[in-house]
Every structure is written in C-alpha cells, then in structure tokens.
Amino acid sequence: MAASCVSNCAALSYRLFLGGRVNLARRRVLWKTAAAELLTVSGSQILRLRHTTVVTTKKNVATLRRETYTVDFIKKQIEEFNLGKRHLANMMGEDPETFTQEDIDRAIAYLFPSGLFEKRARPVMKHPEQIFPKQKATQWGEDGRPFHFLFYTGKQSYYSLMHDAYGKLLNLEKHKNELQAKGVFSEEDKTKDLIGSRWLIKEELEEMLVEKLSDQDYAQFIRLLERLLTLQCGAAEKEFLQSFRRSVTIQSKKQLIEPVQYDEQGMAFSTSEGKRKSAKAEAVVYEHGSGRIKVNGIDYLLYFPVTQDREQLMFPFHFLDRLGKHDATCTVSGGGRSAQAGAIRLAIARALCSFITEEEVEWMRQAGLLTADPRVRERKKPGQEGARRKFTWKKR
C-alpha cells in the first residue's frame, strides 16, 4: 500500500510539473507575439513621440523665455515719466516743455531732502531708458532656430561687426591694389583730423552691442578700426568709422585768450599774468620785434644769471619757433629767481596765444605751457627737523 501511494504521488507531481511547463511555454509565446505586434504597429509612433518630446522641450526653453522689459512696458513707463515731469514742473512753477533733467534733479533734491550718504539710496526721477537696461530682442523663431548664422558664437553682434569691418578693409586694400596696378594710386597719406574725438570705450561698445566683451575683444576691434583709418577711405567707410567715435571738448577752447591791443604807434601787443609759488608776473608781448626781453627794466640775461632760468623763460618762443620775432616786457615780484622764471614763462605763453592758431594753442596746452605749476614748498612738521627729514636718533 505504501509503495502504491508513493508511486501515485510521484505520477501526480510529474503531471502537474508537465502542465506548468506547457502553460508557461504558451504564455511565453503569447507575450512574444504581443510584443512583436506592438513594435510593428506602434513602433514608429513611439519613436516619433520620443523625438517630438525632446525637440519641444528644447524649443520651449528657448522660445518661452519671457522678456524682462517689453516694448509696451517701456512705453508705459515713458508715459508715466512724462506725466510726472509735467506735474513736477507745475509744482515748481516752471514750463513743462522746457523742464530739463537738471531741473528735475534740482526739484527732487528740494522737495525730498535726504541725508542718506549712499547716493543710490536717495530718491531719483530719471528717464526709463536710463533706468531700465537695454535688452536684446528674441534671436530665434517659433521652430527654435536662430535667425543669425553667428548665433552660436555667443557674441553674434560683435562678430558680425568684426565681419563687416574686415570686409570693408579687404575692399579698400583690393581697390588700392587695382589703383597701384594702373599707376594711378598716389602715395600721399591724407592724415585724417581726429582732434576733438576719441574711440568708444569698452563700456560704450558693450552698451551699443548689448553684449559683454573681454578686453582682448575690445582691443582687437580697435586695432581693426585703426587699420581702416590708415587707408584712403570713401564716404561710406568714413561714416562707418565716425559711428565709433565720440566728440571730446578740446581743452584749448576753454583757455581764456586775451584780445589783441594796440598802442599809440599802432603796434599790436597782448598782456597776461602768471604765478609760480609766491611769485607773480605780468608780461606784455608785442607782435613784432627783434627778440628783446626785459624783466623789471633789466635785460633778462643780467636778471637771471642761471642758464636754467633763462631757458625756462625762453621756452615758449623756442617751442613755437618764434625766437627773435617778438619783444617782451615783464614785471615780476615775490619768490626766488626760479619761481620768478616759471611765473614769467606762464605769462609769456598765455600772451602768445593771441598771435597763433587754435592748433598751436592746443599743442602748447598738451606741452603744459598753459598750465600753472601747483607745486609749493612743503611745510616743516613738528617733532622733526624739516618737511621730511627726521632728527638724528641717539641712543643716549
């Protein structure tokens, strides 16, 4: 009995094992067929779905970036600024049409007095263009593709500008070579008048391009413009170069030039004054003469025995190449001989400005002939022997 039960149990377990394997094999076949159908039917759709989701996420990052200050926002701020300026002008009793930014600042300081040391914390009223920084417009389309071919350089405005400038340089060199081949080109260098203007500084160029530039980028751009400046430019190139220059007030125009006067004999002369330390001098320079110069009624060679003082006095005539062409009468008081020579030199240089051109006046200003020397003797300090010298230290 026991043997028959064991054999029956073994047979039953074997049948169950075979049935489980058959079911498992059938299920595997069903899974494989279902997976094959899924791949064949919707495989392309899944791939297309995966591709479109990746593209849309990248596109959304680029196109859905909102502008900080829109055009409508800036227009609204300008309207509010103009309205506030009109009200402020009425409060101050001024004409709103002629109310300038200086008047606005003065009115704000009067109506809202502030004792804050930090100027940026004080109340201000500026034009929106000065407060809200410039920003670039959208540089790509709805499909996420950039408009400009230099977009991925990171500085598309800068490299586009460099591309245009270098193209102009190549065209000018090509035109120059053609003229040289025909024998028409003249080697006369027409120096361009750049007095009274300067190149844009780095910050101004960044504001124009609305991009951050390195010092190397800025220096490379200025070198390219200077190469363009050495060639014979046409009207278009001159206008291109001029757009990167800003006018500067010539300091010589601020110089007060004494008007020419005439004596009883009709001889033109000019008078001026000069200072150096405690010495004060007054010089009368005649338009024509033989180079005779008197100081306090004495010839300058006798009044100044030191050669350096004589050279100081004669330097303005030597600088302008006018030695022996003017007569001068000087009166000086105070100070020593060196200080008196410096005061007379300044007075003569200022008087000579009445007989020379504006360009020569600018040369004299750059050479320092029209600037007073502010140096004075340094005072002695208490507790020491002189201005800088200390007492000799002794141990005992």
Side-chain angles (χ1 to χ4, degrees), residues 22 63 92 102 115 163 201 271 296 325 370:
V22 169
T63 58
M92 299 301 294
E102 295 180 358
H163 182 270
I201 61 176
T271 62
N296 292 340
K325 296 181 180 179
L370 303 179

Side-chain angles (χ1 to χ4, degrees), residues 57-71:
T57 52
K58 289 185 178 179
K59 183 172 66 176
N60 290 337
V61 171
T63 58
L64 296 182
R65 186 181 299 168
R66 298 181 60 186
E67 294 182 355
T68 310
Y69 309 116
T70 61
V71 178

Side-chain angles (χ1 to χ4, degrees), residues 7-68:
S7 63
N8 291 333
C9 290
L12 180 61
S13 61
Y14 182 71
R15 289 178 181 177
L16 290 175
F17 174 72
L18 289 177
R21 290 190 62 181
V22 169
N23 292 333
L24 182 61
R26 289 178 181 176
R27 288 177 183 177
R28 284 181 178 177
V29 171
L30 292 175
W31 289 344
K32 288 182 179 180
T33 56
E37 290 179 359
L38 183 63
L39 288 175
T40 55
V41 173
S42 61
S44 60
Q45 296 181 359
I46 293 174
L47 292 175
R48 189 182 301 110
L49 179 63
R50 288 178 59 191
H51 178 69
T52 53
T53 52
V54 172
V55 172
T56 51
T57 52
K58 289 185 178 179
K59 183 172 66 176
N60 290 337
V61 171
T63 58
L64 296 182
R65 186 181 299 168
R66 298 181 60 186
E67 294 182 355
T68 310

